[in-house]
Each structure stands twice: as C-alpha cells, then as structure tokens.
C-alpha cells in the first residue's frame, strides 16, 4: 500500500500532524476531558483563563495537570472578553501563566446571546497583541474582507465561524469559508459551529487547514466515540480535499461498462 | 511606616480583601494557599511575573487579579 503524504500543518513556525484542535470546556470532569482529548489525537488544545476560586482546596486538581503543557501545545483563549482591552489583559495573564508561551486564540465577542465576534474590537486587540510579540490565531466572522485585514496585520491563523459558538449548526456559509481559504496564505480553520463529524469533514473538504471544536465532542452522548469520529472526519475531509472530488453531472454515468452485456 | 498590626484594603478578584500592611504579593499568594500553583497575578492591570512577586509590596487600594487555567473552547 502506498504511503500517502501531506504538507505539514504549520502554525506560527511549528509543525503539527493533527489538524484537529479541541477545547476543554463542558466536560463532566477532568478524567473525561483528558480521555476525550487523547482520543481525538489533537495536539493543540485550547483553554480559558479565569479568576482563581479563592478559598478552594489547594490540592484540587487543575486543568493543566490533565492537559500537560509538556504533552500538548496549549492555546489560551480570550473567551468571555467583550472588548479589546480585556482580551489583551487576558492574553498577557495567559503568557505569564504559561511561562512566556506566545500563542493565543483571540476572540472578542459582541454579545452574550450570539457570541458573534466583534470584529472592530478584534482588530484593535490583534494590533496590540501582535505589537507585543504574540502569535495570534484569530476567531472572526466569515467575512473575507475582515479575514484579509487580519492576515495583513500578521495574525498566524484565520479562524472563521461555521455558525454560532456551541450551536452545532455546522457551516452555514461554505461559500464564504471557501473564499477565505482561497485568498489566505496563513492557515484557515473553522472555529465554532461544528456539530458532528460530517461538518468537520466539510470544513476540510472546503480546503480549510484545520478545525477547532469543543461542544460537538463534550456534549455528544459518548464524547470518547465522538472524539474518535472527529479525528477520522478531519483526516477523511483532508484526504478528500487533496484527492480532488469528481465533477458533478446532471445525468447518471454507469460504473460498469456497457460492452459485453448478455442482453447486448 | 506601617505598624505590624495595621491592615490595608485590597480588591482581590473583584472582592474586598483585608491584609496586614507591609507584606508582598508573594505573601498574599502564600496566605491564599496558592504557593507553587500554576497561577498568574496582575496588580492594577499590570502583570507581575512570578520572579517579581516577592519584590512587590502591596498597598491599600491595589486591584489584584489571580487567575488560572480552566476548561474552555
């Protein structure tokens, strides 16, 4: 059997073999978090930064005990930030938390009903973070013009939403995602909206470099099984993209030859 | 100079917090039982690196944030 090869998936100068990035939210407990993420094969794992719960048991387990910075490339995110200033503060706290690690997922949200990206604040935050030496993977709308601006500023990955965060509605505007893929020289990842394996495969078939998801695994009935499904879907979608799909036809085209039929 | 029993008022993670005067950020972290934990500290919106905590005195009115990593997407 031929060994199939692919170009490396490179983020901010580092090569990765998995094109699936996963979040750590909404799991039942840390055991399930660790098991699902291991099953997914993801190498880049995102987490949130929050106030320490003071007065807690000092021996309580910590997320970073389960998702070790030695094993995974950690991607702190700015989820929950609604303006550039909070997002920048959060990234600086994360960098301190991870001993100088510069890679962040920037997301600045517009409101708590849609969690839609506020692109004005996102652009402001990106400018400050890039000037401060961060490698910025940016969550944004599926607007190709905004995506182009973010890339021109120096963001290391463009991450348009498929649909609203946590909605599981899949990729609502595949044409826009395709436009962003075609124009971008940095990796493009669908981030948000993936509901099931076919959505992840679709993102990859559109030519995305990767997929970032959380709820689709964490809220599946069986998160471990869905983690495996997502891993396979991303691989299958990537191969389908590289293979190049057959052209669509208006009429049928038999797979078996006409010649030599017994009724000929 | 502050007398040893004098206390200062801080805002810690958004809540009022009273502490003995004359102590440092490192003392506060120890007092909270967070010594050696993977946390990050910000005072008045400026990051205080781990290496600087012991050299950072606290003053009344300081706004302190102590954060850690939690699950999120």
């Amino acid at each position: 059997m031929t060994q199939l090869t692919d170009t490396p998936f490179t983020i901010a100068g580092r090569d990765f073999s998995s094109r699936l990035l996963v979040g750590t939210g909404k799991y039942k407990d840390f055991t399930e978090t660790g098991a699902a993420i291991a099953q997914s094969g993801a190498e880049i794992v995102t987490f949130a930064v929050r106030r320490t719960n003071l007065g807690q048991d000092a021996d309580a387990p910590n997320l970073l005990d389960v998702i070790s910075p030695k094993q995974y490339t950690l991607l702190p995110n700015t989820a929950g930030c609604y303006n550039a200033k909070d997002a920048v503060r959060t990234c600086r706290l994360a960098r301190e938390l991870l001993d100088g690690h510069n890679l962040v997922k920037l997301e600045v949200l517009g409101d708590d009903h849609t969690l839609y990206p506020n692109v004005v604040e996102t652009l402001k935050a990106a400018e400050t973070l890039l000037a401060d030496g961060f490698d910025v993977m940016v969550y944004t709308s599926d607007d190709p013009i905004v995506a182009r601006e973010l890339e021109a500023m120096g963001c290391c990955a463009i991450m348009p939403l498929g649909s609203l965060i946590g909605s599981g509605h899949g990729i609502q505007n595949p044409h826009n995602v395709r436009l962003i893929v075609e124009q971008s020289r940095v990796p493009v990842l669908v981030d948000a909206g993936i509901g099931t394996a076919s959505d992840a495969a679709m993102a990859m078939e559109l030519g995305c470099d990767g997929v970032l998801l959380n709820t689709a695994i964490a809220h599946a009935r069986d998160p471990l099984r869905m983690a495996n499904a997502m891993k396979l879907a991303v691989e299958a979608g990537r191969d389908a993209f590289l293979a190049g799909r057959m052209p669509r036809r208006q009429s049928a085209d038999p797979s078996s030859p006409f010649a030599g039929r017994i009724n000929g | 100079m502050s007398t040893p029993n004098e206390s200062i008022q801080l805002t810690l993670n958004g809540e009022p917090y009273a502490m003995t005067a004359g102590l440092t950020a490192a003392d506060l972290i120890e007092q909270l039982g967070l010594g050696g934990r993977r946390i990050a500290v910000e005072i008045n919106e400026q990051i205080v690196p781990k290496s600087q905590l012991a050299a950072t005195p606290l003053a009344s009115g300081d706004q302190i944030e102590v954060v850690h990593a939690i699950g999120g997407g």
Side-chain angles (χ1 to χ4, degrees):
Chain A
M1 201 168 70
T2 308
Q3 186 66 40
L4 300 173
T5 58
D6 191 356
T7 50
F9 172 49
T10 308
I11 298 282
R14 280 193 61 183
D15 290 349
F16 297 92
S17 52
S18 172
R19 292 170 179 271
L20 174 61
L21 287 67
V22 295
T24 50
K26 300 180 177 173
Y27 285 99
K28 189 175 64 186
D29 52 37
F30 283 153
T31 306
E32 188 182 72
T33 310
I37 289 169
Q39 191 74 47
S40 77
E43 296 166 305
I44 303 177
V45 178
T46 186
F47 70 88
V49 176
R50 289 292 180 274
R51 285 172 166 165
T52 301
N53 190 8
L54 302 172
Q56 72 177 8
D57 177 5
D59 294 327
N62 183 295
L63 177 69
L64 300 185
D65 298 334
V66 180
I67 306 299
S68 162
K70 289 182 187 132
Q71 191 180 355
Y72 295 100
T73 295
L74 293 181
L75 179 64
N77 65 56
T78 62
C81 292
Y82 291 85
N83 58 61
K85 182 185 165 191
D86 288 351
V88 169
R89 280 176 71 192
T90 300
C91 289
R92 288 177 175 153
L93 282 162
R95 180 164 63 182
E96 166 62 15
L97 193 61
L98 297 179
D99 306 317
H101 172 82
N102 274 329
L103 185 67
V104 292
K105 169 182 158 179
L106 172 64
E107 56 179 303
V108 188
L109 306 173
D111 66 47
D112 59 10
H113 178 58
T114 65
L115 302 179
Y116 206 81
N118 178 331
V119 296
V120 176
E121 292 295 312
T122 300
L123 288 160
K124 278 191 220 166
E127 188 170 24
T128 306
L129 291 169
L130 291 162
D132 196 14
F134 284 94
D135 292 320
V136 179
M137 302 179 72
V138 60
Y139 170 65
T140 184
S141 64
D142 59 14
D143 178 337
I145 307 306
V146 172
R148 187 182 296 158
E149 290 289 334
L150 288 163
E151 179 178 354
M153 289 170 77
C155 291
C156 68
I158 306 298
M159 305 201 291
L161 50 74
S163 50
L164 300 184
I165 292 173
S167 71
H169 282 178
I171 300 174
Q172 287 297 302
N173 195 341
H175 308 290
N176 273 28
V177 172
R178 181 78 193 158
L179 285 172
I180 293 170
V181 165
E182 283 171 354
Q183 74 182 17
S184 300
R185 288 159 184 263
V186 295
V188 176
L189 294 86
V190 165
D191 174 6
I194 299 296
T196 189
S198 53
D199 298 332
M202 184 201 232
M204 298 308 293
E205 287 177 19
L206 286 167
C208 288
D209 298 277
V211 173
L212 197 165
L213 57 87
N214 185 154
T215 313
I217 296 177
H219 280 185
R221 193 175 64 241
D222 180 346
L224 261 62
R225 181 71 67 169
M226 187 58 87
N228 196 55
M230 290 302 184
K231 174 187 169 170
L232 297 173
V234 167
E235 289 173 3
R238 176 67 181 170
D239 270 346
F241 170 73
L242 292 174
R245 60 154 298 142
M246 61 161 280
R248 288 182 171 84
R249 298 170 59 99
Q250 289 303 317
S251 57
D253 179 25
S255 295
S256 307
F258 257 61
R261 290 171 300 149
I262 57 168
N263 55 352
Chain B
M1 279 297 287
S2 307
T3 59
N5 292 328
E6 194 180 330
S7 75
I8 56 172
Q9 281 296 324
L10 310 170
T11 302
L12 177 60
N13 285 2
E15 302 288 335
Y17 189 86
M19 190 172 170
T20 307
L23 298 180
T24 67
D27 296 323
L28 171 64
I29 297 306
E30 281 300 324
Q31 194 170 310
L32 294 169
L34 297 171
R37 305 282 291 177
R38 198 177 264 277
I39 54 161
V41 179
E42 182 195 67
I43 301 180
N44 302 328
E45 301 192 3
Q46 295 296 317
I47 298 294
V48 182
K50 287 169 200 65
S51 59
Q52 295 299 309
L53 288 171
T56 304
L58 298 176
S60 226
D62 278 348
Q63 309 266 337
I64 302 171
E65 297 289 344
V66 182
V67 303
H68 66 156
I70 67 150

